[in-house]
Amino acid sequence: MAASIFTAVPRAPPVAVFKLTADFREDGDARKVNLGEGTALPLLAAYRTDEGQPWVLPVVKKVEQMIANNNSLNHEYLPILGLPEFRANASRIALGDDSPAIKENRIGSVQSLGGTGALRIGAEFLRRWYNGNNNTATPVYISAPSWENHNSVFVDAGFKDIRTYHYWDAAKRGLDLQGLLDDMEKAPEFSIFILHACAHNPTGTDPTPDQWKQIAAVMKRRFLFPFFDSAYQGFASGSLDKDAWAVRYFVSEGFELFCAQSFSKNFGLYNERVGNLTVVGKDADNVQRVLSQMEKIVRTTWSNPPSQGARIVATTLSSPQLFAEWKDNVKTMADRVLLMRSELRSRLESLGTPGTWNHITEQIGMFSFTGLNPKQVEYMIKEKHIYLMASGRINMCGLTTKNLDYVAKSIHEAVTKIQ
Amino acid sequence: SSWWSHVEMGPPDPILGVTEAFKRDTNSKKMNLGVGAYRDDNGKPYVLNCVRKAEAMIASKKMDKEYLPIGGLADFTRASAELALGENSEAFKSSRYVTVQGISGTGSLRIGANFLQRFFKSSRDVYLPKPSWGNHTPIFRDAGLQLQAYRYYDPKTCSLDFSGAMDDISKIPEKSIILLHACAHNPTGVDPRQEQWKELAAVVKKRNLLVYFDMAYQGFASGDINRDAWAVRYFIEQGINVVLSQSYAKNMGLYGERAGAFTVICSDAEEAKRVESQLKILIRPMYSNPPLNGARIASFILNTPDLRKEWLVEVKSMADRIISMRTQLVSNLKKEGSSHNWQHITDQIGMFCFTGLKPEQVERLIKEFSIYMTKDGRISVAGVTSGNVGYLAHAIHQVTK
């Protein structure tokens, strides 16, 4: 047999969260708690019930049954840009029913494979068409820290100059607004900025409306392009509108922007890969041309998107009753996370755990940057069998009424014993 | 002003244009022969019974919606590999392969193209048959590779230009990438015979080429999954470590569910693990992990003996209907009094047929008879039914006599 062309292919390093999860699986201790990511799978965060179980939303079960019973449905190809009813409804959810951009017919939508797929299509388009025909050298700014896949998406889309912008202030455990604004002032004009619409991953720290206004003002003045990543709409505060405030504010300020939406968390449709890239442009003509080029990109990436998840979301969003049920289901998830936050904080404060713990309730969404240092994290894992990321990031979904006391006590021990 | 003022309108898709014109046509006899999806004898989309049964089984199990691994559903990828390679395949049994779930055929091709761009450093050139599926070129180009061609279709005979293909392939620079359609060549329907495949394997081996098989029609071409996979299996048996893209769009009618797979045949299982780790690194920034629904349906079918049996019968019946339409078209043309040789229509295989019609003739078919096809004379035999095959033959005869 001839020597292999792949002899030189190196083994890619395992990803930290995957290794963590594997360790968790092998841990035989009955007290073990996985705050690494909440699922058995690498890198990926998912909601858990108070019993620590995955949760298929009741409205999703209902709609799936409707789809299964509908014999008029088949498995034919969707259009390249996706299911029309899905696209229109998905963008409407992000931009709001009364969005001026929708009224003025200057929005476009691309059904995508999850939020990741939407980011990738947007990135590929920007590299080809954003500011002239070749944007490999256009700077792309990603928050420090951010979801680690953001970097890979833009690298693989061909961008060569990827930078970070200040975001997390570890000392004060909050947003480094001044650092962020300074970076925007110094960024070359026309740079692309990846903004988390809400529930910043991994810090859980979002700008306030006033802070967003300051950010928007700088971006407008310096011609910086806003590319929103909206993976948690509804899931963060429990309110769809509240979680979309930043995106809608930018639209009202006249920005052209992209918003990559994921329905993985707020619909619990993780494995059906339901996402949408919303495009807001100056006018319909521009948006049409943009969509025509995005179609070309989609065609060579996946041809046309998967049907099942889009049908579920479209059916739900276009029925007033199902829509109301969905909002209720979303609020259930958001409320449980909010409860876990307040319960954890109050226990730490009762225990007199050194330090301040208001950041636990001030942060929002699935994740929290606890402030635990790597040594303290190691203590948590080795001595208490509580698994969290070396960064101190915990997935709040891993907390339940049953393990709150144990987790709080363990954090207390870690902080008092280890410096 | 807008960021996008300079963005040009993308050129319209030629095949889409055919369907749009068809939709606007009010002629009750109109036929859409551009459609790339199977239709039953009433011209309707066909959801396979085994698919409906698998869906019912899945619904009753009330499974969760947790993310799949990056490489996809393990039961699906393993069954996919076994379907392509055959259960007795040494490569399969020794696990010297990696199969990842892809977004149907296109997504699987694209993963492979990106993988080759990153790790196949010997060449940037991908050799496609002339002609090939229209989307092959932009897929490989967007992945950062260059396109070349080898002779394949002989328009004079409407069949394989075998000596031209062998001649061109024997001159391809060593260690280039060559793409081969495993069966039911798209768009011509022209496949090599087994003896010809053997010669192709020999020359490809001699030139030390990286073989990329695109198998979008296993089972759908001849009606026999083993026969349709013969070339892929023969090449591997000859020691050619191919890469392979599979689609379940046509053979399971799962079009919009996007079920597919990409496979790399490796030297050994250890190498397969390394390759797998790199494929995951490519997939993650594209769409993180694949959609479950279609893969789960396909997995249930492939892994449940009764469903698998039923599937094999159904895929054969789809293939048989296509073959029967080819036969009826030819016999109807003879009945019309056509003196042309239409043998290529029954010699060709799979969904598509290169009729040999010229653009002017196609134009007349569209304008005078409301029969829609692409300008290259390609028809989708799936659009032909026992109810309209007579009309089609009549029309073709009118424009060719």
Side-chain angles (χ1 to χ4, degrees), chain A residues 253-279:
Chain A
E253 285 293 298
F255 281 90
E256 291 183 300
L257 56 81
F258 286 175
C259 180
Q261 299 168 261
S262 169
F263 292 92
S264 291
K265 284 84 172 170
N266 59 16
F267 260 89
L269 284 173
Y270 309 95
N271 64 25
E272 299 296 0
R273 314 312 296 124
V274 202
N276 187 53
L277 178 68
T278 288
V279 175

PDB file of all heavy atoms in Angstrom, chain A residues 253-279:
ATOM      1  N   GLU A 253     -30.865  53.786  15.294  1.00  0.00           N
ATOM      2  CA  GLU A 253     -29.837  54.797  15.062  1.00  0.00           C
ATOM      3  C   GLU A 253     -29.356  54.793  13.623  1.00  0.00           C
ATOM      4  O   GLU A 253     -28.402  55.493  13.282  1.00  0.00           O
ATOM      5  CB  GLU A 253     -28.647  54.549  16.012  1.00  0.00           C
ATOM      6  CG  GLU A 253     -28.941  54.965  17.458  1.00  0.00           C
ATOM      7  CD  GLU A 253     -29.117  56.467  17.587  1.00  0.00           C
ATOM      8  OE1 GLU A 253     -28.166  57.206  17.305  1.00  0.00           O
ATOM      9  OE2 GLU A 253     -30.239  56.904  17.947  1.00  0.00           O
ATOM     10  N   GLY A 254     -29.998  53.995  12.795  1.00  0.00           N
ATOM     11  CA  GLY A 254     -29.699  54.038  11.369  1.00  0.00           C
ATOM     12  C   GLY A 254     -28.553  53.154  10.913  1.00  0.00           C
ATOM     13  O   GLY A 254     -28.116  53.238   9.768  1.00  0.00           O
ATOM     14  N   PHE A 255     -28.069  52.271  11.781  1.00  0.00           N
ATOM     15  CA  PHE A 255     -26.963  51.404  11.369  1.00  0.00           C
ATOM     16  C   PHE A 255     -27.422  50.372  10.344  1.00  0.00           C
ATOM     17  O   PHE A 255     -28.542  49.884  10.404  1.00  0.00           O
ATOM     18  CB  PHE A 255     -26.418  50.625  12.570  1.00  0.00           C
ATOM     19  CG  PHE A 255     -25.509  51.408  13.466  1.00  0.00           C
ATOM     20  CD1 PHE A 255     -26.017  52.128  14.533  1.00  0.00           C
ATOM     21  CD2 PHE A 255     -24.134  51.400  13.251  1.00  0.00           C
ATOM     22  CE1 PHE A 255     -25.171  52.845  15.379  1.00  0.00           C
ATOM     23  CE2 PHE A 255     -23.281  52.104  14.098  1.00  0.00           C
ATOM     24  CZ  PHE A 255     -23.796  52.832  15.155  1.00  0.00           C
ATOM     25  N   GLU A 256     -26.507  50.002   9.432  1.00  0.00           N
ATOM     26  CA  GLU A 256     -26.651  48.761   8.691  1.00  0.00           C
ATOM     27  C   GLU A 256     -25.928  47.716   9.543  1.00  0.00           C
ATOM     28  O   GLU A 256     -24.835  47.994  10.043  1.00  0.00           O
ATOM     29  CB  GLU A 256     -26.001  48.857   7.311  1.00  0.00           C
ATOM     30  CG  GLU A 256     -26.763  49.803   6.381  1.00  0.00           C
ATOM     31  CD  GLU A 256     -26.151  49.832   4.987  1.00  0.00           C
ATOM     32  OE1 GLU A 256     -24.962  50.198   4.890  1.00  0.00           O
ATOM     33  OE2 GLU A 256     -26.859  49.499   4.021  1.00  0.00           O
ATOM     34  N   LEU A 257     -26.515  46.565   9.730  1.00  0.00           N
ATOM     35  CA  LEU A 257     -25.880  45.591  10.619  1.00  0.00           C
ATOM     36  C   LEU A 257     -26.285  44.173  10.269  1.00  0.00           C
ATOM     37  O   LEU A 257     -27.197  43.951   9.484  1.00  0.00           O
ATOM     38  CB  LEU A 257     -26.246  45.898  12.085  1.00  0.00           C
ATOM     39  CG  LEU A 257     -27.736  45.980  12.457  1.00  0.00           C
ATOM     40  CD1 LEU A 257     -28.357  44.594  12.679  1.00  0.00           C
ATOM     41  CD2 LEU A 257     -27.916  46.807  13.728  1.00  0.00           C
ATOM     42  N   PHE A 258     -25.551  43.212  10.845  1.00  0.00           N
ATOM     43  CA  PHE A 258     -25.929  41.809  10.789  1.00  0.00           C
ATOM     44  C   PHE A 258     -26.271  41.367  12.205  1.00  0.00           C
ATOM     45  O   PHE A 258     -25.663  41.844  13.175  1.00  0.00           O
ATOM     46  CB  PHE A 258     -24.762  40.934  10.308  1.00  0.00           C
ATOM     47  CG  PHE A 258     -24.441  41.031   8.850  1.00  0.00           C
ATOM     48  CD1 PHE A 258     -23.336  40.352   8.339  1.00  0.00           C
ATOM     49  CD2 PHE A 258     -25.208  41.770   7.968  1.00  0.00           C
ATOM     50  CE1 PHE A 258     -23.015  40.416   6.989  1.00  0.00           C
ATOM     51  CE2 PHE A 258     -24.899  41.841   6.604  1.00  0.00           C
ATOM     52  CZ  PHE A 258     -23.790  41.160   6.130  1.00  0.00           C
ATOM     53  N   CYS A 259     -27.213  40.437  12.300  1.00  0.00           N
ATOM     54  CA  CYS A 259     -27.505  39.828  13.599  1.00  0.00           C
ATOM     55  C   CYS A 259     -27.645  38.328  13.393  1.00  0.00           C
ATOM     56  O   CYS A 259     -28.562  37.872  12.699  1.00  0.00           O
ATOM     57  CB  CYS A 259     -28.794  40.402  14.196  1.00  0.00           C
ATOM     58  SG  CYS A 259     -29.187  39.690  15.801  1.00  0.00           S
ATOM     59  N   ALA A 260     -26.715  37.566  13.979  1.00  0.00           N
ATOM     60  CA  ALA A 260     -26.772  36.108  13.888  1.00  0.00           C
ATOM     61  C   ALA A 260     -27.634  35.614  15.038  1.00  0.00           C
ATOM     62  O   ALA A 260     -27.314  35.850  16.194  1.00  0.00           O
ATOM     63  CB  ALA A 260     -25.366  35.519  13.994  1.00  0.00           C
ATOM     64  N   GLN A 261     -28.737  34.968  14.707  1.00  0.00           N
ATOM     65  CA  GLN A 261     -29.645  34.493  15.741  1.00  0.00           C
ATOM     66  C   GLN A 261     -29.566  32.984  15.895  1.00  0.00           C
ATOM     67  O   GLN A 261     -29.466  32.262  14.898  1.00  0.00           O
ATOM     68  CB  GLN A 261     -31.090  34.842  15.377  1.00  0.00           C
ATOM     69  CG  GLN A 261     -31.382  36.320  15.232  1.00  0.00           C
ATOM     70  CD  GLN A 261     -32.742  36.522  14.581  1.00  0.00           C
ATOM     71  OE1 GLN A 261     -32.851  36.775  13.385  1.00  0.00           O
ATOM     72  NE2 GLN A 261     -33.787  36.405  15.363  1.00  0.00           N
ATOM     73  N   SER A 262     -29.660  32.532  17.141  1.00  0.00           N
ATOM     74  CA  SER A 262     -29.743  31.096  17.396  1.00  0.00           C
ATOM     75  C   SER A 262     -31.058  30.797  18.094  1.00  0.00           C
ATOM     76  O   SER A 262     -31.480  31.538  18.981  1.00  0.00           O
ATOM     77  CB  SER A 262     -28.591  30.647  18.288  1.00  0.00           C
ATOM     78  OG  SER A 262     -28.827  29.322  18.739  1.00  0.00           O
ATOM     79  N   PHE A 263     -31.681  29.699  17.697  1.00  0.00           N
ATOM     80  CA  PHE A 263     -32.876  29.232  18.398  1.00  0.00           C
ATOM     81  C   PHE A 263     -32.572  27.948  19.174  1.00  0.00           C
ATOM     82  O   PHE A 263     -33.463  27.231  19.593  1.00  0.00           O
ATOM     83  CB  PHE A 263     -34.047  29.039  17.408  1.00  0.00           C
ATOM     84  CG  PHE A 263     -34.543  30.334  16.836  1.00  0.00           C
ATOM     85  CD1 PHE A 263     -34.025  30.828  15.646  1.00  0.00           C
ATOM     86  CD2 PHE A 263     -35.483  31.094  17.507  1.00  0.00           C
ATOM     87  CE1 PHE A 263     -34.442  32.051  15.124  1.00  0.00           C
ATOM     88  CE2 PHE A 263     -35.918  32.323  16.995  1.00  0.00           C
ATOM     89  CZ  PHE A 263     -35.400  32.808  15.811  1.00  0.00           C
ATOM     90  N   SER A 264     -31.285  27.678  19.346  1.00  0.00           N
ATOM     91  CA  SER A 264     -30.883  26.469  20.077  1.00  0.00           C
ATOM     92  C   SER A 264     -31.338  26.532  21.521  1.00  0.00           C
ATOM     93  O   SER A 264     -31.932  25.592  22.034  1.00  0.00           O
ATOM     94  CB  SER A 264     -29.360  26.317  20.047  1.00  0.00           C
ATOM     95  OG  SER A 264     -28.915  26.008  18.755  1.00  0.00           O
ATOM     96  N   LYS A 265     -31.038  27.645  22.204  1.00  0.00           N
ATOM     97  CA  LYS A 265     -31.357  27.726  23.625  1.00  0.00           C
ATOM     98  C   LYS A 265     -32.796  28.136  23.879  1.00  0.00           C
ATOM     99  O   LYS A 265     -33.478  27.516  24.689  1.00  0.00           O
ATOM    100  CB  LYS A 265     -30.430  28.735  24.341  1.00  0.00           C
ATOM    101  CG  LYS A 265     -29.038  28.217  24.592  1.00  0.00           C
ATOM    102  CD  LYS A 265     -28.139  28.396  23.387  1.00  0.00           C
ATOM    103  CE  LYS A 265     -26.701  28.061  23.695  1.00  0.00           C
ATOM    104  NZ  LYS A 265     -25.901  28.006  22.456  1.00  0.00           N
ATOM    105  N   ASN A 266     -33.273  29.190  23.217  1.00  0.00           N
ATOM    106  CA  ASN A 266     -34.604  29.686  23.568  1.00  0.00           C
ATOM    107  C   ASN A 266     -35.722  28.785  23.063  1.00  0.00           C
ATOM    108  O   ASN A 266     -36.854  28.887  23.524  1.00  0.00           O
ATOM    109  CB  ASN A 266     -34.807  31.168  23.173  1.00  0.00           C
ATOM    110  CG  ASN A 266     -34.638  31.421  21.696  1.00  0.00           C
ATOM    111  OD1 ASN A 266     -34.655  30.485  20.876  1.00  0.00           O
ATOM    112  ND2 ASN A 266     -34.472  32.675  21.339  1.00  0.00           N
ATOM    113  N   PHE A 267     -35.432  27.901  22.126  1.00  0.00           N
ATOM    114  CA  PHE A 267     -36.416  26.909  21.721  1.00  0.00           C
ATOM    115  C   PHE A 267     -36.013  25.507  22.163  1.00  0.00           C
ATOM    116  O   PHE A 267     -36.740  24.544  21.937  1.00  0.00           O
ATOM    117  CB  PHE A 267     -36.602  26.912  20.185  1.00  0.00           C
ATOM    118  CG  PHE A 267     -37.822  27.652  19.696  1.00  0.00           C
ATOM    119  CD1 PHE A 267     -37.770  28.997  19.406  1.00  0.00           C
ATOM    120  CD2 PHE A 267     -39.017  26.981  19.517  1.00  0.00           C
ATOM    121  CE1 PHE A 267     -38.895  29.675  18.954  1.00  0.00           C
ATOM    122  CE2 PHE A 267     -40.157  27.649  19.052  1.00  0.00           C
ATOM    123  CZ  PHE A 267     -40.092  29.003  18.774  1.00  0.00           C
ATOM    124  N   GLY A 268     -34.812  25.408  22.744  1.00  0.00           N
ATOM    125  CA  GLY A 268     -34.328  24.090  23.142  1.00  0.00           C
ATOM    126  C   GLY A 268     -34.121  23.166  21.957  1.00  0.00           C
ATOM    127  O   GLY A 268     -34.158  21.951  22.088  1.00  0.00           O
ATOM    128  N   LEU A 269     -33.909  23.738  20.773  1.00  0.00           N
ATOM    129  CA  LEU A 269     -33.807  22.939  19.544  1.00  0.00           C
ATOM    130  C   LEU A 269     -32.361  22.699  19.134  1.00  0.00           C
ATOM    131  O   LEU A 269     -32.050  22.617  17.958  1.00  0.00           O
ATOM    132  CB  LEU A 269     -34.555  23.632  18.398  1.00  0.00           C
ATOM    133  CG  LEU A 269     -36.073  23.523  18.450  1.00  0.00           C
ATOM    134  CD1 LEU A 269     -36.703  24.397  17.374  1.00  0.00           C
ATOM    135  CD2 LEU A 269     -36.522  22.073  18.285  1.00  0.00           C
ATOM    136  N   TYR A 270     -31.515  22.549  20.110  1.00  0.00           N
ATOM    137  CA  TYR A 270     -30.079  22.404  19.905  1.00  0.00           C
ATOM    138  C   TYR A 270     -29.711  21.581  18.675  1.00  0.00           C
ATOM    139  O   TYR A 270     -28.976  22.053  17.801  1.00  0.00           O
ATOM    140  CB  TYR A 270     -29.436  21.768  21.143  1.00  0.00           C
ATOM    141  CG  TYR A 270     -29.790  22.458  22.440  1.00  0.00           C
ATOM    142  CD1 TYR A 270     -30.839  22.012  23.232  1.00  0.00           C
ATOM    143  CD2 TYR A 270     -29.066  23.570  22.873  1.00  0.00           C
ATOM    144  CE1 TYR A 270     -31.162  22.641  24.415  1.00  0.00           C
ATOM    145  CE2 TYR A 270     -29.387  24.211  24.063  1.00  0.00           C
ATOM    146  CZ  TYR A 270     -30.442  23.751  24.825  1.00  0.00           C
ATOM    147  OH  TYR A 270     -30.767  24.389  26.003  1.00  0.00           O
ATOM    148  N   ASN A 271     -30.173  20.352  18.610  1.00  0.00           N
ATOM    149  CA  ASN A 271     -29.662  19.464  17.558  1.00  0.00           C
ATOM    150  C   ASN A 271     -30.362  19.591  16.219  1.00  0.00           C
ATOM    151  O   ASN A 271     -30.018  18.871  15.286  1.00  0.00           O
ATOM    152  CB  ASN A 271     -29.641  18.005  18.038  1.00  0.00           C
ATOM    153  CG  ASN A 271     -31.021  17.443  18.348  1.00  0.00           C
ATOM    154  OD1 ASN A 271     -32.028  17.890  17.825  1.00  0.00           O
ATOM    155  ND2 ASN A 271     -31.048  16.434  19.207  1.00  0.00           N
ATOM    156  N   GLU A 272     -31.327  20.487  16.109  1.00  0.00           N
ATOM    157  CA  GLU A 272     -31.949  20.671  14.795  1.00  0.00           C
ATOM    158  C   GLU A 272     -31.305  21.829  14.035  1.00  0.00           C
ATOM    159  O   GLU A 272     -31.647  22.066  12.873  1.00  0.00           O
ATOM    160  CB  GLU A 272     -33.467  20.894  14.938  1.00  0.00           C
ATOM    161  CG  GLU A 272     -34.208  19.729  15.595  1.00  0.00           C
ATOM    162  CD  GLU A 272     -34.183  18.419  14.792  1.00  0.00           C
ATOM    163  OE1 GLU A 272     -33.583  18.358  13.687  1.00  0.00           O
ATOM    164  OE2 GLU A 272     -34.756  17.425  15.273  1.00  0.00           O
ATOM    165  N   ARG A 273     -30.403  22.551  14.692  1.00  0.00           N
ATOM    166  CA  ARG A 273     -29.597  23.577  14.029  1.00  0.00           C
ATOM    167  C   ARG A 273     -30.446  24.673  13.390  1.00  0.00           C
ATOM    168  O   ARG A 273     -30.466  24.837  12.148  1.00  0.00           O
ATOM    169  CB  ARG A 273     -28.653  22.954  12.973  1.00  0.00           C
ATOM    170  CG  ARG A 273     -27.895  21.715  13.414  1.00  0.00           C
ATOM    171  CD  ARG A 273     -27.210  21.834  14.762  1.00  0.00           C
ATOM    172  NE  ARG A 273     -26.167  22.834  14.779  1.00  0.00           N
ATOM    173  CZ  ARG A 273     -26.092  23.873  15.629  1.00  0.00           C
ATOM    174  NH1 ARG A 273     -26.984  24.031  16.596  1.00  0.00           N
ATOM    175  NH2 ARG A 273     -25.097  24.739  15.536  1.00  0.00           N
ATOM    176  N   VAL A 274     -31.147  25.384  14.238  1.00  0.00           N
ATOM    177  CA  VAL A 274     -32.037  26.433  13.740  1.00  0.00           C
ATOM    178  C   VAL A 274     -31.450  27.790  14.054  1.00  0.00           C
ATOM    179  O   VAL A 274     -31.308  28.175  15.210  1.00  0.00           O
ATOM    180  CB  VAL A 274     -33.433  26.357  14.408  1.00  0.00           C
ATOM    181  CG1 VAL A 274     -34.451  27.057  13.538  1.00  0.00           C
ATOM    182  CG2 VAL A 274     -33.826  24.919  14.677  1.00  0.00           C
ATOM    183  N   GLY A 275     -31.098  28.508  13.013  1.00  0.00           N
ATOM    184  CA  GLY A 275     -30.541  29.836  13.186  1.00  0.00           C
ATOM    185  C   GLY A 275     -30.988  30.730  12.052  1.00  0.00           C
ATOM    186  O   GLY A 275     -31.590  30.263  11.081  1.00  0.00           O
ATOM    187  N   ASN A 276     -30.677  32.003  12.185  1.00  0.00           N
ATOM    188  CA  ASN A 276     -31.104  32.964  11.165  1.00  0.00           C
ATOM    189  C   ASN A 276     -30.132  34.131  11.146  1.00  0.00           C
ATOM    190  O   ASN A 276     -29.755  34.633  12.201  1.00  0.00           O
ATOM    191  CB  ASN A 276     -32.511  33.480  11.502  1.00  0.00           C
ATOM    192  CG  ASN A 276     -33.098  34.353  10.406  1.00  0.00           C
ATOM    193  OD1 ASN A 276     -33.151  33.965   9.248  1.00  0.00           O
ATOM    194  ND2 ASN A 276     -33.545  35.548  10.774  1.00  0.00           N
ATOM    195  N   LEU A 277     -29.706  34.516   9.956  1.00  0.00           N
ATOM    196  CA  LEU A 277     -28.882  35.714   9.843  1.00  0.00           C
ATOM    197  C   LEU A 277     -29.788  36.842   9.376  1.00  0.00           C
ATOM    198  O   LEU A 277     -30.334  36.796   8.271  1.00  0.00           O
ATOM    199  CB  LEU A 277     -27.737  35.517   8.847  1.00  0.00           C
ATOM    200  CG  LEU A 277     -26.855  36.751   8.634  1.00  0.00           C
ATOM    201  CD1 LEU A 277     -26.044  37.071   9.893  1.00  0.00           C
ATOM    202  CD2 LEU A 277     -25.905  36.537   7.457  1.00  0.00           C
ATOM    203  N   THR A 278     -29.989  37.825  10.249  1.00  0.00           N
ATOM    204  CA  THR A 278     -30.801  38.984   9.878  1.00  0.00           C
ATOM    205  C   THR A 278     -29.878  40.070   9.346  1.00  0.00           C
ATOM    206  O   THR A 278     -28.863  40.404   9.977  1.00  0.00           O
ATOM    207  CB  THR A 278     -31.603  39.498  11.093  1.00  0.00           C
ATOM    208  OG1 THR A 278     -32.648  38.567  11.393  1.00  0.00           O
ATOM    209  CG2 THR A 278     -32.238  40.848  10.807  1.00  0.00           C
ATOM    210  N   VAL A 279     -30.247  40.607   8.201  1.00  0.00           N
ATOM    211  CA  VAL A 279     -29.481  41.675   7.548  1.00  0.00           C
ATOM    212  C   VAL A 279     -30.329  42.932   7.564  1.00  0.00           C
ATOM    213  O   VAL A 279     -31.488  42.901   7.126  1.00  0.00           O
ATOM    214  CB  VAL A 279     -29.183  41.286   6.079  1.00  0.00           C
ATOM    215  CG1 VAL A 279     -28.502  42.431   5.330  1.00  0.00           C
ATOM    216  CG2 VAL A 279     -28.347  40.020   6.021  1.00  0.00           C
TER     217      VAL A 279
END
